[in-house]
Amino acid sequence: MATFSSVAAAVEYESWDPNAETRAAVAQLREAGKESELEAILGSRLQFGTAGLRGPMGPGYNRMNELVVMQTCQGLIRYMDSLDADAKNKGVIIGFDHRELGSLSSKALARISAAVFLSQGYKTYLLEGFVPTPFVAFGVSHLGCAAGIMVTASHNPKADNGYKVYWNNGSQIVPPHDTGIASQIDANLKPWQTYDTTYAGVEANALAHDVTYSIASAYYKALSKLSNQHQTNYTNPVKTVYTAMHGVGCHWVKQAFEEFGHRPLDAVPCQAEADPTFPTVKFPNPEEKGALDEAMKHADKQGATLILANDPDADRLAVAEKLPS
C-alpha cells in the first residue's frame, strides 16, 4: 500500500477542484507546510451509503464540496449506465435546499450535479428555488426518472450539507445499490472534463428542463385526493401553528393548507423564512430538546393547542399537542 503524501494529495486536489475558495484553502495549507491539517481533510473520503453523502461543508475529500459531489455524480452515472441502457433518456431530477457556507451552497452543488449529468447526455429535470425533499421523490415517479438527487443535510447542524439519491421507484437507495455506486465513485475520481455550471451550460442546455411548477402542481393535485373532510376543515376548532425550523417548508405547507381548505397557515414568524444560519435553534431537528421552544411560545400567544413542525428540508414532521393540564 502506497504511503499517504499530504503534499501530493493537495496538489492533486488543487488540480481537480473547480471551486476557487476551497482550492485556495488547500493551497494555503500546503504552502504553509500544514501536513497534519492536510491529512485530516484529504486522508479519507466521505463514505457513500444508503443515505447518500452527509458531512460538514469545506475543502477536502471528507467534506461536502463541489469536487466531492462531482466525483459522486460521475460514479452514479457509471453505475446507472451499467444497469439501464435507457437511463439517459429517462433522466434525473435534481433539487436543493437553502444551505450555504461561503461559496459552498446547496444550489452550487446542485448546479455541478446538473452539469455532470448534462455533459453525459442525460435529460435533466431541474427544481429551481428552494424545494422540499418530497418533491424530488415524487418527481422521480411522476416523470419516470432513472434517479433523483436532493442536495440537503436535512436536520443536521448548519455547517453540514448532504447529497441524497432516490432510485427509479421514488425511494432512497437500498443495498446493493449503495455499495455499487460507492465502488464506481472510487473508480471515477478524476474529473472527466471541465464542467460548465453557468446559465448557458445548465439552465439553457437543450437537455435541461425546469419542472418546478409542473411538479408542484402535480404533487398538490395528488395530495388533495387524500382530503376526505374538505368541507369541514375550515371550521375545525383546533388552532394550529406551524414552524419551518428556518427551512424551506413554509411556502409549500401554506399551499398544502389551502389545498385542504384549512384556515390560513399560522407560521412561527421568527422561523418561517429559509435561513442557513438557523439563528433560533442549535440543532434544526424538531425532535431535539428545545427545538420547539419558539413554536410553543407562539402557540401560547395565539391560543393554539397543536404544533406542526418540519425539519429544514420538510421531509420530517413532528406534532406536539398541549394538554389541558
Side-chain angles (χ1 to χ4, degrees):
M1 181 180 293
T3 302
F4 175 80
S5 168
S6 60
V7 173
V11 171
E12 176 188 76
Y13 185 93
E14 292 166 48
S15 70
W16 289 355
D17 187 4
N19 182 284
E21 181 184 357
T22 49
R23 191 170 63 241
V26 171
Q28 185 176 17
L29 290 175
R30 176 180 55 78
E31 292 165 0
K34 304 287 188 178
E35 293 195 22
S36 60
E37 287 89 339
L38 285 172
E39 185 169 2
I41 62 173
L42 300 173
S44 62
R45 295 189 59 82
L46 283 182
Q47 295 300 303
F48 186 91
T50 54
L53 297 173
R54 197 172 295 184
M57 289 179 276
Y61 293 128
N62 58 12
R63 301 288 190 271
M64 285 296 300
N65 54 60
E66 291 174 32
L67 176 57
V68 167
V69 167
M70 176 203 303
Q71 294 170 326
T72 302
C73 289
Q74 291 182 165
L76 178 57
I77 286 170
R78 284 290 179 262
Y79 184 73
M80 292 166 64
D81 286 347
S82 72
L83 296 182
D84 187 351
D86 198 33
K88 292 182 180 181
N89 184 56
K90 293 176 181 176
V92 295
I93 183 169
I94 302 174
F96 58 92
D97 70 4
H98 63 306
R99 288 185 180 250
E100 182 177 353
L101 185 67
S103 63
L104 296 175
S105 68
S106 293
K107 181 176 181 177
L109 300 184
R111 281 295 169 274
I112 192 70
S113 298
V116 176
F117 275 91
L118 288 166
S119 77
Q120 300 302 302
Y122 269 76
K123 188 181 295 183
T124 304
Y125 299 103
L126 307 174
L127 291 170
E128 295 294 271
F130 305 144
V131 297
T133 292
F135 277 18
V136 172
F138 176 84
V140 170
S141 299
H142 183 73
L143 297 171
C145 295
I149 296 165
M150 179 66 186
V151 181
T152 178
S154 191
H155 50 271
N156 271 40
K158 64 184 180 181
D160 287 3
N161 216 326
Y163 178 103
K164 293 181 179 180
V165 177
Y166 291 81
W167 208 236
N168 56 20
N169 60 355
S171 297
Q172 282 188 257
I173 56 171
V174 296
H177 294 311
D178 57 335
T179 55
I181 295 168
S183 178
Q184 288 294 340
I185 293 170
D186 290 341
N188 290 277
L189 295 178
K190 184 177 181 178
W192 294 335
Q193 65 179 70
T194 298
Y195 296 105
D196 185 358
T197 59
T198 65
Y199 177 86
V202 177
E203 290 95 328
N205 190 298
L207 290 172
H209 308 275
D210 181 354
V211 294
T212 312
Y213 177 77
S214 62
I215 288 298
S217 297
Y219 183 90
Y220 287 112
K221 183 178 180 180
L223 186 68
S224 65
K225 294 178 181 179
L226 302 177
S227 178
N228 55 18
Q229 296 181 344
H230 194 278
Q231 299 303 317
T232 60
N233 280 343
Y234 193 87
T235 58
N236 190 317
V238 178
K239 295 191 69 174
T240 305
V241 300
Y242 167 80
T243 176
M245 206 69 66
H246 299 296
V248 304
C250 195
H251 169 77
W252 305 107
V253 173
K254 178 181 179 181
Q255 188 170 340
F257 265 54
E258 292 172 356
E259 291 288 342
F260 273 65
H262 288 297
R263 285 177 288 185
L265 183 70
D266 184 357
V268 178
C270 66
Q271 297 179 334
E273 299 299 321
D275 187 338
T277 68
F278 301 99
T280 68
V281 287
K282 293 181 179 179
F283 204 93
N285 182 348
E287 298 176 12
E288 289 290 322
K289 183 178 181 180
L292 295 181
D293 287 353
E294 293 295 333
M296 288 189 285
K297 290 177 187 177
H298 186 66
D300 286 342
K301 181 180 179 181
Q302 299 296 96
T305 58
L306 192 68
I307 295 172
L308 302 179
N310 276 140
D311 65 343
D313 66 323
D315 70 346
R316 177 176 295 207
L317 175 70
V319 180
E321 182 180 15
K322 186 175 184 177
L323 300 178
S325 58

